[in-house]
Amino acid sequence: MCGIAGGIWFAPEWSISPRLLDQMTDSLIHRGPDDRGIFRSDYSTDRYNNCQPAGVGLGFRRLSIIDLQGGHQPLGNEDGTIQVVFNGEIYNYRELHQRLEGSGHRFATDSDTETIVHLYEDLGTDCFAQLNGFFSIAIWDSRFQRLVIARDRVGKKPFYYAAQGDGGPNIKRFSFASELKSLVHIPNINLELDANAIDHYLTYQYVPHPWSIYQGIRKLQPGHFATIENHHFSEQAYWNVDWSKTNDLSESQTVEAVRSTLIDSVRLRLRSDVPLGAFLSGGIDSSLIVAIAQRELKTPVKTFAIGFSESDFDETKYAQMVADHIGTEHRRFEVTPDAISILDKLIYHYDEPFSDSSAIPTWYLCEETRKHVTVAISGDGGDELFAGYDRYRALTLSQRFRNFVPASTILKSGILSLFRDRGNQRSFTRRLKRFCEAIDQPAPQRYLNWLQIFGERQRSEMYQEAFLQELQPEDPFNFLAAAWNRIGDRGLINQSSLADLQTYLPCDLMTKVDIASMAHSLEARQPFLDYRLMELCIGTPGEWKMRGGRGKQLLRKAFGDWLPETIWNRPKMGFGVPIAKWFRNELQPKLRETLLSDETRIHSIFRPEAIAKLVESHVSGASNEGYRLWNLFVLELWIRKWKG
């Protein structure tokens, strides 16, 4: 688990100097406090023609997890023609190591990084499909004067890049890093705000790939690799899963495959040369991962749960129930979330505007867990793979309701005005109102209606005219629609959950956990996101995952007696904080100062009167605008922090 940075340049005046490479890697010290390394080479411009690079640099910061003594990077092959920097973990590295030794390779270390080196020697860019793990990788191949980069299948590890030139089609310098804060050191990168990225952020609460908040920086897409050679950048997918295809297994065979694959996935993720523990929320997913881990280990698993004084946001009693049932060494931390004290840290580490408020408890959980272990396994991904979110059920119900009663009759009746949305995000009134508001729309648009922070009409009415002119004709809905369309006609359960697997999971959940964990030099591992299990679930009929309006049915059939019945039957609880209440009480002065003052920077994007209307409607209790205000609040604070 590390941070990487570097680049390739095709003219001396575009070079990344040793000092600049140091600055880029040192800004990632929180991702890798244990070690650092640099590979850099300038080439004589007389030696190569104009299509070949003038130099290359790779930088590395290390958090030591595997092979504590021998895992130094950059790491090369025997003759040094290949150099690798790598952020992540390859869980099947021992199996690959054995296979590669059998074909004649000789290893100098027991690290997973060296496995990548020799696998690339044998397979070239086909090597990435052989890796079971999470990663961002950069490979310098001097044999072909080529830089190769890759990102894991669901984007657990971030990968930002900038391709610069002199206005023509050819790249003069290509730079990459694990975090945006590393790339901002590069001279002459276009750091103007991307209007379409902001439009996407207001829709989804994150900036999705391939965009970044800056015009001159982009994200490598999950499951993709790219090559940079001869002044050109070329990106393509290596994970070519067929989202539209159903596998040939029976339901009973699928249950058995789920059981064996998840157990093996947990087993692989228990490999560590440093202390390891687990997040335990008391929900089905984290509880099941801990139960499997405890059966694999000889000593009690160290488990960690975060508690809050707000009962609507505290589920630690369930975590304690599971810990007692399984026999873990459990620690419960109780904190009083202080949004003001933590906001500066969040804005700094998340690099881009990111307004998923569950980043706050995730931050506290990682901070406390790191005091005891260096690696933590978690239950992320279980909801997307096994249809655990209530919104999947709501989508199916809305389709039935839509077919039974003409939706337009409800919408025209004015009945929605009777529902006053004043409470928290989980209130029945709020969910009913959102359900009814979306019912007259096609399924993917209906689904976006439940996900989005600001709808298209709300955004357009809030934007300043000058900002509207900056927007390119790219509808944020297309990001979700593209994922939805890859799945084909496989039923609403699979269409919605597998669309989340391609969008919400990498861009929101993985970003949230990666940044919060790495800010505290903690590695988080997600057994549900083993690609073998993902491919199995992608090909499974949706009706096997959810029956009678209840998800996780395949997991229950596979592991029903592993957890208390109370855990299987308990209602799903999100991992959030009382944003709406804060903005009406202790955070109200900060809210007004941030969004309504003469110093407010986002007034160049949004009409001040539109923001004021939102604030007053929320503070008065007329409506619940908490999450929309949090979205604007975070954007304003981000601009103040990163744009001066």
Side-chain angles (χ1 to χ4, degrees):
M1 186 65 66
C2 315
I4 62 173
I8 183 172
W9 52 94
F10 292 89
E13 63 269 23
W14 290 82
S15 72
I16 298 175
S17 68
R19 180 174 177 273
L20 178 55
L21 197 54
D22 283 343
Q23 287 178 320
M24 293 172 69
T25 52
D26 287 347
S27 67
L28 303 173
I29 190 171
H30 52 281
R31 300 186 79 94
D34 299 330
D35 190 18
R36 72 187 304 273
I38 297 292
F39 171 84
R40 189 181 179 282
S41 183
D42 280 303
Y43 297 95
S44 167
T45 55
D46 295 332
R47 181 180 173 189
Y48 300 111
N49 61 40
N50 289 334
C51 287
Q52 293 177 310
V56 65
L58 305 175
F60 167 75
R61 294 290 326 196
R62 185 186 189 200
L63 175 63
S64 300
I65 303 293
I66 298 290
D67 191 8
L68 303 186
Q69 301 303 316
H72 179 77
Q73 297 181 37
L75 197 153
N77 60 347
E78 293 88 342
D79 62 7
T81 56
I82 295 171
Q83 297 288 330
V84 172
V85 287
F86 153 61
N87 169 28
E89 296 286 348
I90 306 302
Y91 300 121
N92 62 333
Y93 81 99
R94 290 178 182 169
E95 291 77 7
L96 291 171
H97 184 125
Q98 185 176 15
R99 190 178 91 193
L100 289 163
E101 278 192 325
S103 62
H105 289 279
R106 295 294 173 261
F107 285 77
T109 73
D110 187 39
S111 70
D112 51 353
T113 310
E114 192 172 5
T115 300
I116 299 171
V117 172
H118 296 307
L119 196 64
Y120 174 80
E121 282 187 291
D122 279 5
L123 302 178
T125 55
D126 290 339
C127 72
F128 304 119
Q130 302 291 313
L131 302 178
N132 186 348
F134 60 110
F135 51 82
S136 56
I137 299 171
I139 302 172
W140 167 240
D141 187 343
S142 64
R143 301 170 304 175
F144 302 102
Q145 300 294 292
R146 176 171 66 193
L147 181 68
V148 181
I149 60 176
R151 190 178 181 197
D152 65 73
R153 293 169 179 83
V154 289
K156 299 181 200 176
K157 290 288 103 179
F159 202 113
Y160 292 92
Y161 67 86
Q164 297 170 271
D166 54 10
N170 291 337
I171 294 173
K172 296 294 185 181
R173 175 170 57 210
F174 181 89
S175 313
F176 67 87
S178 294
E179 297 184 9
L180 273 177
K181 64 176 61 65
S182 179
L183 285 180
V184 297
H185 293 288
I186 298 287
N188 303 318
I189 282 184
N190 182 358
L191 298 181
E192 292 296 315
L193 296 182
D194 188 316
N196 283 83
I198 293 175
D199 200 37
H200 281 73
Y201 165 74
L202 259 70
T203 304
Y204 294 105
Q205 74 186 1
Y206 54 77
V207 179
H209 56 259
W211 294 273
S212 89
I213 192 63
Y214 298 122
Q215 293 181 18
I217 300 176
R218 288 294 179 258
K219 302 182 183 90
L220 185 64
Q221 297 184 76
H224 282 62
F225 75 91
T227 57
I228 302 90
E229 58 183 327
N230 297 337
H231 290 275
H232 294 291
F233 171 89
S234 175
E235 180 179 353
Q236 67 185 81
Y238 66 85
W239 193 37
N240 295 308
V241 62
D242 188 345
W243 298 89
S244 65
K245 184 179 178 181
T246 300
N247 61 43
D248 297 326
L249 299 178
S250 68
E251 186 172 2
S252 60
Q253 289 173 322
T254 300
V255 169
E256 181 54 41
V258 165
R259 182 188 298 113
S260 61
T261 306
L262 185 55
I263 289 173
D264 189 58
S265 175
V266 173
R267 179 185 62 80
L268 287 175
R269 283 156 182 79
L270 295 177
R271 291 174 173 175
S272 176
D273 294 333
V274 295
L276 178 145
F279 299 145
L280 180 59
S281 69
I284 291 172
D285 299 332
S286 67
S287 301
L288 186 53
I289 294 301
V290 169
I292 297 171
Q294 189 60 75
R295 293 197 182 199
E296 292 291 320
L297 296 173
K298 296 179 181 179
T299 57
V301 178
K302 293 179 171 64
T303 55
F304 306 92
I306 199 89
F308 304 103
S309 57
E310 289 274 344
S311 59
D312 286 347
F313 297 88
D314 186 272
E315 54 184 337
T316 54
K317 67 178 182 180
Y318 296 107
Q320 188 65 59
M321 181 188 301
V322 173
D324 293 340
H325 179 80
I326 296 172
T328 72
E329 182 184 319
H330 189 61
R331 288 181 173 84
R332 177 188 185 274
F333 313 109
E334 176 146 353
V335 298
T336 301
D338 185 343
I340 293 178
S341 68
I342 202 176
L343 268 174
D344 282 346
K345 296 175 183 178
L346 294 179
I347 296 299
Y348 172 77
H349 281 282
Y350 277 87
D351 279 345
E352 293 184 287
F354 182 80
S355 64
D356 183 341
S357 64
S358 65
I360 295 174
T362 303
W363 178 277
Y364 283 118
L365 177 61
C366 291
E367 183 177 53
E368 293 297 332
T369 299
R370 183 60 179 91
K371 296 174 183 178
H372 303 275
V373 299
T374 311
V375 175
I377 55 176
S378 77
D380 295 314
D383 286 309
E384 291 78 9
L385 293 180
F386 295 98
Y389 291 128
D390 289 340
R391 58 182 182 254
Y392 304 148
R393 177 179 60 186
L395 191 63
T396 302
L397 288 174
S398 67
Q399 189 67 31
R400 293 174 183 170
F401 192 64
R402 176 186 165 96
N403 294 337
F404 180 66
V405 178
S408 58
T409 302
I410 298 174
L411 295 173
K412 292 175 182 177
S413 70
I415 193 172
L416 296 185
S417 63
L418 300 177
F419 303 132
R420 302 301 297 271
D421 180 14
R422 299 173 180 172
N424 63 51
Q425 289 293 106
R426 304 189 190 99
S427 71
F428 173 77
T429 299
R430 177 177 176 79
R431 286 182 290 173
L432 180 60
K433 187 173 182 180
R434 286 171 65 86
F435 179 89
C436 292
E437 286 173 335
I439 202 170
D440 200 35
Q441 299 170 328
Q445 187 65 54
R446 196 183 327 150
Y447 192 60
L448 177 64
N449 189 288
W450 293 330
L451 293 176
Q452 66 193 359
I453 306 301
F454 288 96
E456 181 181 10
R457 176 187 290 182
Q458 292 170 307
R459 299 195 309 275
S460 62
E461 290 177 351
M462 289 179 62
Y463 289 147
Q464 296 276 15
E465 185 61 33
F467 184 82
L468 282 169
Q469 297 304 315
E470 291 183 46
L471 287 173
Q472 300 298 311
E474 176 61 45
D475 187 345
F477 171 63
N478 293 339
F479 178 64
L480 175 65
W484 193 283
N485 292 336
R486 291 184 195 108
I487 298 152
D489 187 15
R490 294 191 54 206
L492 293 179
I493 297 300
N494 269 330
Q495 286 174 311
S496 52
S497 62
L498 298 183
D500 275 350
L501 193 66
Q502 302 171 68
T503 57
Y504 175 69
L505 180 77
C507 298
D508 191 309
L509 297 187
M510 293 298 96
T511 298
K512 175 183 69 179
V513 173
D514 175 77
I515 297 298
S517 59
M518 293 311 299
H520 296 99
S521 303
L522 174 73
E523 177 178 310
R525 299 177 175 178
Q526 294 89 7
F528 278 114
L529 297 180
D530 187 299
Y531 80 93
R532 300 169 300 167
L533 185 62
M534 287 194 293
E535 290 178 355
L536 174 64
C537 292
I538 288 168
T540 297
E543 59 267 25
W544 296 355
K545 302 174 184 178
M546 178 177 284
R547 280 200 173 100
R550 300 185 64 180
K552 310 284 179 74
Q553 293 305 299
L554 281 176
L555 286 180
R556 183 160 192 158
K557 286 188 174 184
F559 298 99
D561 59 347
W562 290 48
L563 298 175
E565 193 66 18
T566 302
I567 300 302
W568 289 111
N569 292 330
R570 61 165 293 206
K572 183 168 181 59
M573 191 173 185
F575 196 42
V577 288
I579 292 294
K581 179 181 175 182
W582 286 354
F583 279 153
R584 290 190 181 117
N585 297 285
E586 59 264 40
L587 273 185
Q588 187 184 149
K590 181 69 172 177
L591 174 69
R592 292 184 179 279
E593 181 277 323
T594 302
L595 296 184
L596 302 179
S597 75
D598 293 338
E599 307 301 318
T600 300
R601 301 286 299 278
I602 60 172
H603 286 174
S604 63
I605 301 173
F606 308 103
R607 295 185 297 108
E609 62 271 22
I611 299 177
K613 182 178 179 181
L614 274 181
V615 171
E616 297 309 325
S617 181
H618 180 79
V619 170
S620 69
S623 65
N624 180 4
E625 307 294 346
Y627 279 66
R628 293 188 180 108
L629 291 173
W630 183 254
N631 185 266
L632 299 176
F633 191 71
V634 169
L635 178 61
E636 171 65 23
L637 293 178
W638 181 88
I639 291 175
R640 292 185 186 186
K641 173 69 177 179
W642 288 104
K643 300 303 291 179

